Each structure stands twice: as C-alpha cells, then as structure tokens.
Amino acid sequence: MKTEFSLAQLADPDIAEADKILRACVHCGFCTATCPTYVLLGDELDSPRGRIYLIKEMLEKDRPPTTEVVKHIDRCLSCLACMTTCPSGVNYMHLVDQARVRIERDYSRPLTERALRTVLAWVLPRPALFRASMILARLGRPFVGLLPTPKTAAATPTLLGRIKAMLELAPGRLPSPGPAGGSVFQAVGTRRGRVALLQGCAQQVLAPRINQAAINLLTRHGIEVVLVKDEQCCGALTHHLGRDGDALARARANVTVWQREAEQDGLDAILVTASGCGTVIKEYGFMLREDHEFARPAARISALAKDITEYLAGIELAPSRQRGDVTIAYHSACSLQHGQKITHAPKDLLSKNGFVVKDVPESHLCCGSAGTYNILQPDIASRLRDRKIANIATVEPDMIAAGNIGCMVQIAGGTSVPVVHTIELLDWATGGPKPGLTDRD
Ligand code: SF4
Ligand code: SF4
C-alpha cells in the first residue's frame, strides 16, 4: 500500500513502524475471510483491510479519530486471525495497538463510556479490587433478567447492556485465594529446573486451581516453581484499552522483579497459564524498544516467557493414567494460536497423555472474550460465543479444554459441559486430581 507520511512524521519511531506495516499490505483481502467481525457483520470497515485503511487515513492526515473510525476499531477483537491469514506478513497487531493509543489520547468518548473504561482499567488488574467487585456483582446477578437485551450490533452498545454483560460473567461462587507472591514450591526429588509462574490478575481470583495444577505438575516432575514477589498484572488489559502509560509501567515493574529473580536464583523460563498474558509479555521487548534503560532487559524477559504447554513439550512427563475414554474439545485461544503461533503443543500433550482430542470446527474464529471485549461489545461477543458453543457441540465432548481464562469464562457462560484448563487435564493424567467443574458453578 502506498503511503504519504512526511519526513517529519517518519521521524517518530511509531509512525515509521506504522509506515512499514502499511507498505506491506497489498490490499488482497484474504484476511477478511477469517475476521470474526467481518464474518458476522459483513461490513468492509469491520474487516482487517477496512480497518487498516481507516488507521492509515487517521495517522497519515494526523487527524483526531472520528466517531466512525472509533466504532470500527473498537469492534476489532485484536484476535489476530488476520495475521495468521495474511500472506504478506502485515503486523496488524502493532498497527491496531497504535490506533488504540491514538484514540485514547485524542478522542473524547461519552462520559459514561469513559467512566466504564476507567473502572475496568483500574479494577481488573488489581486482584483485591477485582475480588471485591466480583462479590458485588454476585449480589447484582438476580437482577440481570430485568436489564434489556440489545436487539442488534449497536454502534455503541448501551451502558445497561454492558452492565448486564458484566453481571452475567460474574461467577456463582469465588474460590479461596491461591498462594501469595514470594512463595517457592520445591521440586520433588532431583531438581531438573527452576521457573517463575505468572500469578495473573483475574485468573488468580476466578480460578486459582489453574496455577495450582501447574505447580503440582511441575514440582512432581522436578521443576522448582517460584511466584515472584511484587509481580504485577502483565498489562494486557490496559494495553488493549489503549492505555499505554499504565501497560508500560507494569511491563517495567515486571521486567525489574523477574530480572532480579533470574540474577539471584536463576530462571529457566517465565511460565504463563493465561495465553492472553503470554502474548503481551512476549511483546515486552517490542513495547519497550525505545526505552534505553529497559529495552535489553525487556527483550531478555520476552525471550524467557513461555506458555506452559510450550515448556512442557520440552520435558518428559510421567506415564499417563488416562485410558482414552475422555473426549476433549480443544478450544484454541486466539492469543495462543494467532498471537503466539502455538497450535500443536497443547493438543499433542493431551493426546500423548491419553485423551481423545477433537478439533472444533471454525477453530480460527474468536469466542468473543478478548480481554474486556465481552463487556464493551456484548452483542458481538455473545453472538461469537453462541457460534463457538454450537461448533463445540458438534464434537460431543466430555470436557472442553482451553489455555486462557478469558475464553474459559466466556465459553462456560453458555454451556453445561465442564470447561477446564489444559494444564488441569495434564496434571490429572500424570498423577494429580481430576479437574472439577468450572469455578462459575
Ligand atoms: S491479507 Fe494481508 S496484505 Fe492482504 S489485505 Fe489483509 S492485511 Fe493486507
Ligand atoms: S484482529 Fe481479529 S477482529 Fe481485528 S481485524 Fe484482525 S481478524 Fe478482525
């Protein structure tokens, strides 16, 4: 695609990056076929190609974003299916991230929308606040039926529709908190390795059983696990809201504490059980590339970050106890398959450990979770969830496995089939307890 940025504009490293990305796009439109919003809404401006054009216009003309541009960028899930499909290697992720920052900086949203986004950005990354908000949401759940259901994919979903979506996502009960930062779990027998395990923010409130299963499995296989003290939310949630100041501050704080841990006691890897977080931590090196103090340490931390299944694929697990009579529908989280390009490892691990693994039709399409998307765009999100659940039902699973808490909560909201994390199944197969029902129940 031809671009016309001025030399002065190109002096800005972000614009220079955008220019490189835009020039790689040949406007072929292959990406439209796998874009969930284009598949649902059929509007070119809700496709990757349409959004790329809108972003180009906004950046090139250096104009404040219009309501129309904001509408179509807000509808993007950042699922990155378009990046998997694109034959020209267009880095849509870096482009849309930049657009979101520009919108956050230069566009004045209606007051209620600004307030809601501020609350989400403040509450979700703080586990204590998030826990308190979930308790409040449980009190509000009996009144969900009184709130109106939107009839169409509105340009701007209503505040009531968003509140309804939030209440519907709240779990029926909250589990007890998991172990605190600073805890170290010794390897059983001879130590074969030492890893940090990301504690996460929403996940540690909604499903501490996920990291518990990871700790159980890893220590049983000779890996020492540390929950690094003073670690923060990875920044993914605020990054996707365009609040880069917050996201970068969190990235710097995490780089500092993980680097300290690696230098003091050694770390073979920083393991992540929520793939949405893993995708952003692997981006720390890029996000902090212009920061003279943090650029190199951030790149080292990104290189250490691994999805839990990526790490387990490289070690020998204990013989499986499974007999092959449990059918698993494997839901491939977008952040794992498109963001991190991890497609085979989770399924191979499950198959090798005795599960019957079924691919879900249209597995490239997002379930509608996408960070805060299911709250901010509840109508599109629920249509995507219903489509995902209908596809899952065709393989008649005993359980659904996923590697991302956001997807797990989203899918569990529309099915009675138990939704578990891949690591819970692997822990079960190699000596741990059978995973229970989801924490929504
Ligand atoms: S597939 Fe890639 S090159 Fe083609 S229109 Fe989409 S982003 Fe551009
Ligand atoms: S990130 Fe997902 S929703 Fe956004 S343009 Fe790409 S495919 Fe479409």
Side-chain angles (χ1 to χ4, degrees):
M1 181 186 290
K2 192 166 171 288
T3 59
E4 290 173 354
F5 290 105
S6 67
L7 285 177
Q9 284 177 305
L10 289 170
D12 176 341
D14 286 338
I15 294 294
E17 178 68 21
D19 181 58
K20 198 173 79 188
I21 298 167
L22 290 165
R23 282 174 177 266
C25 176
V26 294
H27 252 227
C28 64
F30 287 166
C31 52
T32 57
T34 56
C35 172
T37 53
Y38 183 74
V39 168
L40 280 191
L41 306 172
D43 183 341
E44 169 74 11
L45 295 179
D46 284 314
S47 78
R49 186 171 59 181
R51 291 183 178 115
I52 287 169
Y53 183 75
L54 292 175
I55 296 169
K56 173 183 180 292
E57 284 291 294
M58 176 175 73
L59 296 180
E60 216 171 50
K61 305 270 168 30
D62 206 9
R63 288 186 191 139
T66 62
T67 303
E68 192 67 4
V69 169
V70 174
K71 177 177 87 174
H72 296 293
I73 301 297
D74 280 356
R75 282 180 177 175
C76 169
L77 294 131
S78 280
C79 68
L80 310 181
C82 47
M83 284 180 61
T84 298
T85 314
C86 175
S88 303
V90 172
N91 194 322
Y92 177 82
M93 173 171 67
H94 290 164
L95 196 62
V96 79
D97 284 348
Q98 208 178 124
R100 292 193 202 282
V101 171
R102 182 69 71 113
I103 288 170
E104 191 60 22
R105 192 190 75 191
D106 295 345
Y107 182 71
S108 181
R109 293 182 186 275
L111 185 64
T112 52
E113 170 132 24
R114 252 185 294 154
L116 176 64
R117 285 171 176 263
T118 300
V119 169
L120 291 174
W122 188 255
V123 171
L124 290 178
R126 294 173 171 83
L129 274 182
F130 183 58
R131 172 173 283 276
S133 73
M134 286 295 101
I135 292 168
L136 278 178
R138 279 171 56 202
L139 298 177
R141 273 186 80 176
F143 306 104
V144 163
L146 301 177
L147 296 172
T149 303
K151 293 188 183 65
T152 57
T156 307
T158 63
L159 181 64
L160 282 182
R162 287 162 164 171
I163 290 173
K164 184 175 186 182
M166 266 193 283
L167 294 177
E168 283 174 342
L169 287 168
R173 66 176 177 82
L174 276 184
S176 307
S183 305
V184 178
F185 300 87
Q186 305 292 339
V188 175
T190 308
R191 192 174 98 171
R192 297 161 64 192
R194 187 173 194 273
V195 297
L197 181 65
L198 179 81
Q199 293 149 74
C201 43
Q203 178 176 293
Q204 67 170 277
V205 174
L206 297 172
R209 60 191 166 86
I210 295 173
N211 269 6
Q212 193 56 60
I215 292 166
N216 293 348
L217 182 145
L218 289 163
T219 52
R220 220 172 36 244
H221 287 82
I223 312 295
E224 184 172 300
V225 180
V226 56
L227 307 183
V228 176
K229 195 167 161 46
D230 298 328
E231 179 189 283
Q232 299 200 8
C233 160
C234 67
L237 289 163
T238 47
H239 181 61
H240 290 143
L241 286 169
R243 300 187 173 210
D244 244 28
D246 182 280
L248 292 177
R250 293 180 185 285
R252 289 188 188 97
N254 284 336
V255 167
T256 302
V257 296
W258 287 334
Q259 184 172 245
R260 188 181 61 209
E261 185 69 36
E263 285 168 0
Q264 277 173 5
D265 295 304
L267 286 178
D268 301 325
I270 297 164
L271 300 188
V272 187
T273 52
S275 59
C277 307
T279 305
V280 167
I281 296 168
K282 288 181 177 182
E283 280 291 302
Y284 277 2
F286 178 82
M287 289 161 65
L288 292 168
R289 69 196 185 286
E290 298 296 330
D291 183 318
H292 295 309
E293 186 186 346
F294 278 90
R296 290 179 69 176
R300 277 200 295 275
I301 290 299
S302 288
L304 271 180
K306 284 192 166 54
D307 184 74
I308 183 87
T309 54
E310 201 178 0
Y311 181 77
L312 292 181
I315 66 171
E316 200 178 321
L317 296 182
S320 173
R321 303 190 306 187
Q322 286 301 315
R323 297 189 315 277
D325 54 0
V326 180
T327 300
I328 304 294
Y330 174 71
H331 164 70
S332 194
C334 296
S335 43
L336 207 50
Q337 63 166 323
H338 304 306
Q340 299 182 48
K341 306 291 180 218
I342 296 174
T343 50
H344 295 296
K347 291 189 286 182
D348 289 350
L349 282 164
L350 289 169
S351 299
K352 273 189 207 157
N353 282 283
F355 295 101
V356 178
V357 182
K358 295 277 177 74
D359 278 322
V360 175
E362 293 189 328
S363 62
H364 61 282
L365 286 184
C366 180
C367 66
S369 168
T372 53
Y373 191 92
N374 48 5
I375 294 171
L376 295 172
Q377 300 284 341
D379 179 66
I380 298 174
S382 62
R383 288 165 69 185
L384 286 171
R385 184 194 65 186
D386 294 347
R387 188 169 177 140
K388 180 64 69 182
I389 287 168
N391 276 318
I392 288 173
T394 63
V395 303
E396 301 180 357
D398 298 309
M399 291 184 183
I400 301 162
N404 191 45
I405 182 69
C407 310
M408 292 170 66
V409 171
Q410 173 79 348
I411 293 169
T415 176
S416 56
V417 179
V419 184
V420 297
H421 194 285
T422 309
I423 192 67
E424 293 182 275
L425 294 173
L426 296 174
D427 181 38
W428 177 30
T430 57
K434 181 176 179 179
L437 296 177
T438 75
D439 286 321
R440 288 185 61 81
D441 300 294

